[in-house]
Amino acid sequence: MTLKAVLTVQPTTPFAGQRPGTSGLRKKVTVFAQSGYLENFVQALFDVLPAVQASPQGQTLVLGGDGRFHNRVAVQTILRMAAANGVARVLVGQDGLLSTPAASAVIRKRGALGGIILSASHNPGGPDGDFGIKYNIANGGPAPEKVTEAIFARTQTLSTYKIMSGTPDVDLSRLGESWLGEMVVQVIDPVDDHAELMQQLFDFDAMRAWFQAGHRMRYDAMGAVGGPYARRVLEGLLGAPVGTVVNGEPLEDFGGHHPDPNPVHAAELMAAMSGAAAPDFGAASDGDADRNMILGRDFAVTPSDSLAILAANATLVPGYRAGLAGVARSMPTSQAVDVVAKALGVAAFETPTGWKFFGNLLDAGQATLCGEESYGTSSNHVREKDGLWAVLFWLNLQAVTGKSVEDLVRAHWARFGRHVYSRHDWEGVAVAKADQLMAALRAKLPSLAGQTLAPGLTVRLADDFAYTDPIDGSVSTGQGVRLLFESGARLVFRLSGTGTEGATLRVYLERFEPDPARHDVPVQDALADLITLADVLADIRHLTGLPGPTVVT
Ligand code: G16
């Protein structure tokens, strides 16, 4: 007997706090697991789509996530709701998995209306960890603020949601099509489209030869969704030895890893990349595989430098042989790429934090490469940041130049100067204290311009960053307090929009060092006066009650 799916309209009441942050709605698993919590958000999305994009009825959507705890349950709920809301077809990654860049690639390649991505990115997973959901539009990129605000507004007023009931869960373990009510569920290989795209952009012959010549690499997927993508390309298509990808099985709790690829959370990789016997190249990706960390032997590349170096060397890579239309970086990202853009004679855009702000520039063909200090880099091939893409770019550069990671970075600094850079995170701060700190800083801004706050640190501009999108004219204010000094140094303060516990204060520190003789001064020493100034200016230790930053990258 075949069971028939029945459309059910369930009564519900609004939940507070369903406003998406920097990248979608992120909360504890325990919050998402409440009856109706996910359902309300998804129904709000379906309700507002006709007004902000197009009706979901009769359309194709893409669905998948990073495989973290609650992913499997949430995928089934969303499938039932999509069917109840008239969606014609959902392309879902096998076992409910899709990395964020792969979801973007699938949306674009298959002409979908958009996609729902389940991830809390670099946040910890497991039953006590974090979960998240975000909607990406037809260009493959995160929904802009007008869409996320409309979804939020709807979450505050809805009283019912629609869902199909009466049938067992859809089997997502096998590729192929099945029906859920009137909707087709098409289970796709999560890796295929992305792997194909990588082959269109990079010199696979040169990279294969690099491995054949005996070079070694270690890619740490941190127990998250990046493993299958890295394995297919590195160990499969490029012939890297099996074992090049470590922690390559996507696990619900990431195998206990905190899948945030930075020197603190990727300590295991940092250790493996140290010493004469270490591999030539080290890399890591995060929970949903959109972030990347790039390491040489005993050498770490800052994300801001990475963006600048990729831009400066782009024409060495097949996909970018014709040069760049322009580059874009988030405001707190160092100015290293601006200097490259100037030398190349192309535009450099400065946007607020959040990948969604790059979408219009990429769609309009004004930027080719984009990047952020938060370990995100990508190009116009998708509308998300892309961890494996960045890693392959670095691999391609090493393969065609014969230079090591460290050689490439040092040559870059010698030519363009070094933007010495660090980010200090103060995590778990009481929200009221963090708000007080930012408000006090904002109040000080008008009095700071022209002042010399420490030797060599005269303020040229002090403001709260605001951005007018050059394509659609939309305005985003309150994007972070920044102090620009006459010397080119910068100090930026903002609160994270991705955390789920208390507030995280991020302090971004930057100074330009043209003198190669000083390029090896330890970063925290080179920034010591800015670090002290930040603490004094914002009264950080006192207001946060913390003895020092919890993460320094
Ligand atoms: C997200 C956004 C990025 C942003 C990062 C950190 O990345 O897509 O644009 O730079 O969060 O944001 P915040 O400083 O507000 O915590 P991901 O990898 O978490 O999706």
Side-chain angles (χ1 to χ4, degrees), residues 22-23 26 120-123 134 142 286 288 290-291 330 352-356 358 372-374 384-385 423 494-499 506 508:
T22 307
S23 183
R26 288 191 194 165
S121 188
H122 57 289
N123 295 12
K134 70 173 182 172
D286 70 332
D288 59 338
D290 59 355
R291 297 185 176 207
S330 65
T353 293
W355 203 264
K356 59 192 172 212
F358 294 134
E372 295 187 282
E373 50 65 40
S374 55
E384 286 281 2
K385 51 189 186 265
R423 186 178 99 185
R494 59 179 284 281
L495 299 183
S496 160
T498 56
R506 302 207 197 282
Y508 310 83

Side-chain angles (χ1 to χ4, degrees), residues 474-548:
S474 56
V475 177
S476 304
T477 55
Q479 297 295 324
V481 166
R482 54 177 192 167
L483 272 64
L484 311 188
F485 298 94
E486 302 282 2
S487 62
R490 292 196 318 167
L491 200 48
V492 175
F493 301 83
R494 59 179 284 281
L495 299 183
S496 160
T498 56
T500 59
E501 255 179 49
T504 295
L505 170 70
R506 302 207 197 282
V507 182
Y508 310 83
L509 309 129
E510 175 183 351
R511 122 159 315 127
F512 181 60
E513 181 51 75
D515 180 2
R518 294 185 52 80
H519 285 168
D520 280 327
V521 174
V523 169
Q524 301 305 315
D525 295 347
L527 298 172
D529 54 350
L530 284 164
I531 295 169
T532 307
L533 176 60
D535 192 24
V536 172
L537 211 57
D539 203 11
I540 304 177
R541 267 164 234 268
H542 172 232
L543 283 172
T544 62
L546 292 168

